[in-house]
Amino acid sequence: MENNIIKLMVQMEKEFMSAANDSEKFVEGNNSAGTRVRKCMQNIKNLAQAVRKEVQEQKNTVSA
């Protein structure tokens, strides 16, 4: 069974790679790519928050 944290991290990696590709296009002058970069970064931020929440939940369910 794959952990939810791993799934979220894989999603973050895909978003980051997409942002990296679009950032190259933006640097070359494609302003639409800049918008896509900003959208990807917002998605990464939301995924990072979901990872933080999931880690905290799993940490709290472990009995000491």
Side-chain angles (χ1 to χ4, degrees):
M1 181 175 118
E2 191 170 323
N3 193 314
N4 195 33
I5 295 170
I6 301 302
K7 290 178 186 177
L8 290 168
M9 296 295 284
V10 168
Q11 274 184 280
M12 282 178 65
E13 182 180 17
K14 289 177 184 175
E15 286 285 342
F16 184 80
M17 294 308 296
S18 178
N21 290 335
D22 280 329
S23 66
E24 289 178 18
K25 294 176 185 175
F26 176 70
V27 169
E28 293 170 358
N30 184 339
N31 286 334
S32 296
T35 301
R36 291 190 299 272
V37 169
R38 292 180 63 235
K39 182 179 179 186
C40 286
M41 297 309 292
Q42 184 64 40
N43 290 340
I44 291 169
K45 176 186 169 198
N46 292 336
L47 287 166
Q49 187 61 40
V51 169
R52 289 174 47 89
K53 182 179 176 186
E54 185 67 27
V55 167
Q56 189 64 43
E57 286 175 6
Q58 287 187 22
K59 190 173 108 179
N60 290 341
T61 59
V62 173
S63 58

